[in-house]
Amino acid sequence: MTNPYVAVLRAPRAWRFSAAGFVARLPISMLGIGTVLLVENATGSYGLAGAVAATLAVAAAAGGPLIARFVDRFGQRRVGLPSLVLHVAGLVGLVVAAEATAPAVLLFVTAAVAGAFQPAIGSFVRARWAVLFSGTDRLRTAYSLEAVVDELIFITGPPLVAVLAVTVGADWALLATALIVSVGTLLLLAQRRTEPQPQRHATHAGSALRQTGMPMCVLVAFALGGIFGSVEITVVAFADELGQLGAAGLVLAVYAAGSMLAGLAYGVIHPRAPLRVQYVLGCTAMMIVAVPLPFADSIAVLTALIFVAGFAISPTLIAGIALVEELVPASMLTEGLTWETTGIAAGVAAGASLSGPIVDASGASAAFWVTVGFSAAAAAMALLAQPSLRRAADSAHGRALPA
């Protein structure tokens, strides 16, 4: 049998833009932990570090959809290049402010600039796949491939930034992310043949967020992001409490490895249940596997638990992305995909900002209850969203609603 992943990568120039996308979004897995390590090293406060990391994520959540709307209208290259320049300027400013022990307000301002103009590389790449395979089973495989790439990013990124922070300093670690995102984004934007055509004269008015079903998808994505944000900062604090800070990157990489394995399987199996059902089942699984985390008492136990927890991630996120592709018109696809990632980014900010003060006050184990809370919220909202998502899917497919 033909490997489905090989089949999609054999599409014209597909492997080139997918590979460039991997490099360009590798820093996504480095920015959060890199910012936490930089600010905590400069100030000694996990609370402030979490707040600055949250500011970067909130700014990305606020700016991402607006930039994506311009991308749909004017093209990835024309919007992506100036966005990249401002993103890198914000990261460099954040490092300078931290190393100069500048007032905290400068940390927040520079983090906000870096976040607001962060290129939505994942949406850029997925929009290119949609041009190639829209309406076919191969699109789901392509999305699964990108989910696997995302998890590979989260396997390699956290250990890389942790090693750089320990060996050359947290400042150089964050500057490395600026270099990597620059190289990868320029390689991607140079590939004009696979860039989706701008939709300057599209007849669809308003925002992709106004499409039926999209608000609930974004709310669920927010809760899922809260899981990731709380896990990231709590794992770092947990390892630090045990005097094994270097292990934090390894634990987060194992989390991503579990997700990557599940994503590989998902892309081959192609479950036949409706996407909305797959979404709620994935969210429920994420809630179940989060419950044991507060009871971990060693790095070894936490690593084992978090590896199992990772298996629920990719199938849930892939179902959510595919659901968005169903719900929004092609002329709004980049914006629609970015709203999904925006929900996740905003949730990451909420999870980090809630977990940091709890770590400072009560320790890392207590902060894992934030993870449990967000996972329960995701499952509940996905269940409540089922009726509206069913109606939206029926409408998108042109089916008559039951009487």
Side-chain angles (χ1 to χ4, degrees), residues 4 50 76 105 132 185 188 204 206 215 222 226-227 253 268 287 296 320 340:
Q76 294 183 2
V105 64
L132 290 176
T185 302
L188 177 64
H204 303 286
F222 173 84
I227 298 172
V268 173
M287 177 184 67
E340 183 76 358

Side-chain angles (χ1 to χ4, degrees), residues 24-47:
R25 63 188 194 268
L26 177 60
I28 293 173
S29 65
M30 303 168 67
L31 280 176
I33 188 172
T35 300
V36 168
L37 292 172
L38 175 74
V39 177
E40 194 280 332
N41 182 66
T43 67
S45 170
Y46 274 108

